[in-house]
């Protein structure tokens, strides 16, 4: 029987603070680990459909647990080779080592800490500065805003004074000013006063596990936006930020497909900016009447190569 795995959310040995270079290194490593974990789980599920992201620890049982227990982080970081030639047992062991490394590096708690360092305005890492810049260019303000995946309450949309009342949520809050909440479990609005004129979703969608769940999240965002006619400025907006490789280095996805996805949900692209590592979008939502149901479709390989990621967003049939 599988013993209870150690928590991957909080590590008592986690550092109290991080320097910027340490933070960047940790963020890169966590991204690599999460990317490979997703790829391994997908391949394991092909070989054994009974294994899912929720039950894999119990289903893979002894092989997983033994590898997990004996793993220790070393200075040499493992480079994972994941392809269809790898058999079930080696993949299970790789998965166990990934989970163990995530925990031993401090888990989600330390990743959040590193991300917060990255968002420190004094170091120029606050992605919301681009949103403020665009709102100034467009001569816009907002009466209220919802920030999904907020890592720091002291960010650009607060200091700009342009966004009225701001609600902030995150899965693992690092501040009493940020509500600890899963957006997918946030109660749906029951009236217009509970909806927003602007929603920020910065570097969140890429951590949602599956393409279908990413599509469901984007659709759910529309339920929290005010109909444009009810907004004081006549617009309701979404600020979206993704790692650049999601649209430039995916086997199955690109900027054109993202545009198709967003248009099906009633969004119109207003601004786009491509930085060295991330991409920014500002969308205006045209309302529920502009939404159209996309027919079911299978994802197609657009780009080959072993260095590609598998990022994809599926809104078909939603």
């Amino acid at each position: 029987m599988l013993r209870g795995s150690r928590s991957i959310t909080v590590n008592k040995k986690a550092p109290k603070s991080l320097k910027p270079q340490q933070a960047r290194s940790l963020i890169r490593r966590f991204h690599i680990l999460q990317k490979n974990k997703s790829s391994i789980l997908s391949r394991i599920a092909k070989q054994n459909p009974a294994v899912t992201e929720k039950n894999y620890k119990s289903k893979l049982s002894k092989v997983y647990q033994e590898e997990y227990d004996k793993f220790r982080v070393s200075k040499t970081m493992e480079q994972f080779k994941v392809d269809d030639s790898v058999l079930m047992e080696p993949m299970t062991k790789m998965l166990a080592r990934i989970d163990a490394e995530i925990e031993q590096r401090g888990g989600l708690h330390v990743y959040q800490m590193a991300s917060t360092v990255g968002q420190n305005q004094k170091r120029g890492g606050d992605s919301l500065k681009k949103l403020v810049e665009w709102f100034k260019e467009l001569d816009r303000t907002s009466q209220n805003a919802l920030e999904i995946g907020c890592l720091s309450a002291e960010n650009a949309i607060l200091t700009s004074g342009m966004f009225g009342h701001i609600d902030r949520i995150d899965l693992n809050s690092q501040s009493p000013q940020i509500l600890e909440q899963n957006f997918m479990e946030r109660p749906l609005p029951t009236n217009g006063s509970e909806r927003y004129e602007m929603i920020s979703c910065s570097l969140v969608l890429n951590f949602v596990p599956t393409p279908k769940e990413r599509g469901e999240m984007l659709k759910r965002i529309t339920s929290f936006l005010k109909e444009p006619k009810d907004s004081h400025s006549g617009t309701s907006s979404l600020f979206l930020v993704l790692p650049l490789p999601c649209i430039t280095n995916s086997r199955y996805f690109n900027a054109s497909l993202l545009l198709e996805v967003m248009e099906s949900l009633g969004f119109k692209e207003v601004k786009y900016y491509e930085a060295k590592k991330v991409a920014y979008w500002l969308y205006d939502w045209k309302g529920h009447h502009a939404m159209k149901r996309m027919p079911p479709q299978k994802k197609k390989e657009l780009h080959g190569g072993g260095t590609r990621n598998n990022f994809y967003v599926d809104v078909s049939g939603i």
Side-chain angles (χ1 to χ4, degrees), residues 154-170:
E154 301 297 323
N155 57 25
I157 64 170
L158 172 69
T159 57
S160 71
M162 300 168 63
F163 295 90
H165 175 78
I166 304 167
D167 286 328
R168 306 171 181 87
I169 63 172
D170 189 64

Side-chain angles (χ1 to χ4, degrees), residues 83-254:
D83 57 42
D84 292 333
S85 68
V86 183
L87 300 177
M88 176 69 83
E89 184 169 328
M91 279 198 296
T92 298
K93 289 182 176 181
M94 274 194 282
L95 181 59
R97 293 197 297 274
I98 287 172
D99 280 349
E101 183 176 344
I102 288 172
E103 183 204 354
Q104 291 174 32
R105 290 190 182 279
L108 187 56
H109 168 69
V110 170
Y111 173 77
Q112 293 279 15
M113 185 191 299
S115 299
T116 302
V117 171
Q119 280 210 351
N120 190 320
Q121 289 190 66
K122 293 178 181 177
R123 299 188 178 110
D126 186 356
S127 63
L128 291 164
K129 289 192 293 186
K130 180 57 66 176
L131 172 63
V132 172
E133 175 189 318
W134 283 341
F135 261 54
K136 287 179 179 177
E137 286 180 10
L138 297 167
D139 194 24
R140 288 187 184 180
T141 59
S142 175
Q143 285 190 332
N144 63 356
L146 172 65
E147 188 180 352
I148 304 169
C150 179
L151 298 176
S152 171
E154 301 297 323
N155 57 25
I157 64 170
L158 172 69
T159 57
S160 71
M162 300 168 63
F163 295 90
H165 175 78
I166 304 167
D167 286 328
R168 306 171 181 87
I169 63 172
D170 189 64
L171 283 172
N172 290 272
S173 172
Q174 301 294 301
S175 165
Q177 296 169 285
I178 303 169
L179 175 65
E180 187 160 298
Q181 184 182 63
N182 182 342
F183 172 70
M184 299 304 289
E185 297 173 2
R186 185 178 178 87
L188 290 169
T190 57
N191 56 63
S193 66
E194 296 175 354
R195 294 183 174 89
Y196 298 89
E197 295 184 7
M198 200 287 296
I199 293 178
S200 167
C201 184
S202 177
L203 299 175
V204 174
L205 193 67
N206 48 299
F207 281 106
V208 177
T210 68
K212 182 63 72 175
E213 287 174 298
R214 293 176 198 131
E216 289 169 351
M217 182 178 188
L218 287 174
K219 184 178 180 183
R220 200 168 202 269
I221 283 173
T222 65
S223 298
F224 286 84
L225 283 169
K226 288 187 177 183
E227 289 285 341
K229 63 181 178 62
D230 298 327
S231 169
H232 90 285
S233 63
T235 59
S236 289
S237 306
L238 169 65
F239 179 63
L240 179 67
V241 184
L242 288 172
L244 189 58
C246 290
I247 58 166
T248 61
N249 197 43
S250 170
R251 287 183 181 84
Y252 309 109
F253 206 64
N254 56 27

